[in-house]
Amino acid sequence: MSDLRTIWWEDGVVVTVDQTKLPHEEVFIEMKECSEVASAIGEMRVRGAPLIGVTAAYGLALTAFHSKAEKREEMMKEINESAEALRRSRPTAVNLFWAVDRVLKKARAASGEPKALAKAVVDEAQRMADEDVEANRRMGEHGARLVKDGAVVMTHCNAGSLATVDYGTALGVIRAAWNQGKKISVIATETRPKLQGARLTAYELKRVGIPVTLITDSMVGYVMSKQLVDKVIVGADRIVQDAVINKIGTYTIAVLAQEHDVPFYVVAPKSTFNLKQTSKDVIIEERSSEEVTHFNCQRIAPSEIEALNPAFDVTPLRYVSAVICETGILSTPELEKLTVDHGMHA
Ligand code: MRU
């Protein structure tokens, strides 16, 4: 998807692809109000930590841009209300909270009348979108050094263009290695229950021509025991002092990777780090049980069956070989040192 940016601003309208419709339909949604943005995040029409963050920033830009407020304080009140609605949309990806806080800080610091305030908010959202693309490209360059010619890389969920503004984090590394001429291939886990691997990762890799083989989540142990995987590369929703929080199933893959001596890498921009927190501080999103009891809107479990549906899990750092961010490759001790140095998150 090198030619398709996932989200953009068009004169007071935020345009993005509806990810619930992929891969069969490429439907673009146009959002004019922040409430539409908050719903799109909650319903996972947009998803993936960096994209959620930038989308939230654009949500605040919509509020400011369309505001009829004549006084600065009135506009700030509207922006603060939108910020609260966005904060309630999904709890786990820290990029959402990082983005809202960053735009609010910019808004508070902006001088002048409502017009100037609105411009500052829109500009900041645009800047964050551009920075995300740049960070992904840098992570791609750093991470590609770890991927040898001929490597088979396992990935989980979707950490590609569709999870970011463009290029991707884990898939960005894979793409960068591929663009260097390395003949690599990917094993993508389907990622129950929302099937981001089967629907989105397979779609993206097919588009750019990188060979991909799909497996069900329960095949990971078998595939690793047959030594069919050289490394695992995944994204993250939040990196805290002691762990990486990512899509449900990541922890299982990390434990299996260690058992089979397969390096396990996490690729995430600094907007995904919160080194002031530990895993105990993180709210793991619990989604509707229907996502588990149903498949493609069709009930597969008997009625009145209880189902758990945590959307993310916690992988302790001892399973992580390194974290790749826009400034380079951080070994686990280096990450721990950053934590001691009081974190990267303001
Ligand atoms: O529930 P989702 O689809 O938003 O979860 C996405 C993931 O878990 C990704 O791996 C993570 O956000 C990193 S995306 C670059």
Side-chain angles (χ1 to χ4, degrees):
M1 293 183 80
S2 48
D3 51 346
L4 178 60
R5 193 172 160 124
T6 308
I7 193 163
W8 63 95
W9 173 267
E10 239 175 56
D11 202 20
V13 180
V14 176
V15 188
T16 187
V17 63
D18 183 346
Q19 301 199 25
T20 61
K21 301 276 198 297
L22 288 171
H24 303 301
E25 288 175 84
E26 283 180 8
V27 176
F28 288 86
I29 42 179
E30 297 189 347
M31 298 178 283
K32 297 188 186 80
E33 288 176 23
C34 188
S35 58
E36 294 174 276
V37 169
S39 303
I41 294 172
E43 292 159 8
M44 294 175 67
R45 294 182 193 284
V46 290
R47 33 73 44 205
L51 181 60
I52 290 172
V54 170
T55 309
Y58 275 136
L60 296 178
L62 286 176
T63 299
F65 186 87
H66 294 289
S67 171
K68 304 259 183 303
E70 286 172 8
K71 291 203 179 107
R72 199 194 143 74
E73 307 77 68
E74 282 169 38
M75 188 183 279
M76 264 324 289
K77 186 167 174 283
E78 290 172 17
I79 293 172
N80 280 322
E81 282 165 8
S82 291
E84 284 320 302
L86 288 164
R87 283 187 217 276
R88 287 191 295 271
S89 60
R90 283 192 88 185
T92 308
V94 78
N95 306 60
L96 171 67
F97 305 92
W98 166 84
V100 167
D101 289 345
R102 181 167 151 177
V103 175
L104 285 182
K105 197 170 165 193
K106 197 75 187 179
R108 285 188 205 111
S111 57
E113 290 308 295
K115 243 187 167 160
L117 174 52
K119 184 173 180 324
V121 169
V122 174
D123 287 352
E124 187 69 353
Q126 298 272 43
R127 198 171 303 122
M128 288 162 77
D130 294 342
E131 282 175 13
D132 184 62
V133 183
E134 182 57 26
N136 290 337
R137 291 200 180 267
R138 293 225 178 115
M139 288 187 285
E141 279 164 27
H142 296 307
R145 299 209 305 266
L146 300 167
V147 183
K148 291 205 180 83
D149 191 19
V152 179
V153 180
M154 177 177 281
T155 192
H156 186 54
C157 193
N158 172 268
S161 291
L162 289 164
T164 61
V165 176
D166 201 349
Y167 207 70
T169 60
L171 292 194
V173 168
I174 289 167
R175 283 169 61 156
W178 176 261
N179 291 340
Q180 289 170 357
K182 294 174 183 167
K183 297 264 170 292
I184 56 174
S185 63
V186 176
I187 294 180
T189 52
E190 64 171 352
T191 319
R192 275 280 285 157
K194 298 291 280 182
L195 303 176
Q196 291 94 328
R199 294 189 304 106
L200 308 176
T201 295
Y203 166 82
E204 271 196 58
L205 292 174
K206 187 174 169 216
R207 259 183 95 127
V208 291
I210 301 176
V212 55
T213 302
L214 189 62
I215 61 169
T216 64
D217 301 341
S218 48
M219 292 176 194
V220 172
Y222 177 84
V223 167
M224 285 200 186
S225 72
K226 292 287 174 190
Q227 296 174 335
L228 299 177
V229 183
D230 296 308
K231 45 179 64 32
V232 177
I233 307 183
V234 296
D237 285 82
R238 195 180 286 230
I239 296 178
V240 293
Q241 285 174 19
D242 55 335
V244 168
I245 321 301
N246 192 45
K247 180 52 54 193
I248 191 76
T250 303
Y251 172 52
T252 317
I253 297 173
V255 174
L256 280 163
Q258 192 162 90
E259 173 67 19
H260 294 285
D261 281 329
V262 176
F264 180 94
Y265 296 110
V266 176
V267 189
K270 286 179 183 170
S271 52
T272 303
F273 288 62
N274 188 338
L275 297 179
K276 288 187 177 159
Q277 293 187 324
T278 72
S279 48
K280 289 199 180 71
D281 303 316
V282 181
I283 298 173
I284 299 290
E285 179 181 15
E286 184 71 39
R287 294 187 64 86
S288 152
S289 62
E290 285 196 0
E291 291 178 358
V292 176
T293 56
H294 290 59
F295 195 85
N296 254 348
C297 302
Q298 266 220 298
R299 177 173 275 285
I300 47 171
S303 55
E304 288 160 40
I305 280 287
E306 300 273 329
L308 283 181
N309 190 12
F312 301 95
D313 61 22
V314 178
T315 300
L317 284 189
R318 65 179 178 278
Y319 294 106
V320 177
S321 311
V323 173
I324 297 145
C325 69
E326 59 270 51
T327 52
I329 301 169
L330 302 170
S331 62
T332 314
E334 283 166 335
L335 194 64
E336 277 159 358
K337 185 172 178 307
L338 275 180
T339 301
V340 174
D341 293 347
H342 206 227
M344 296 201 268
H345 227 249

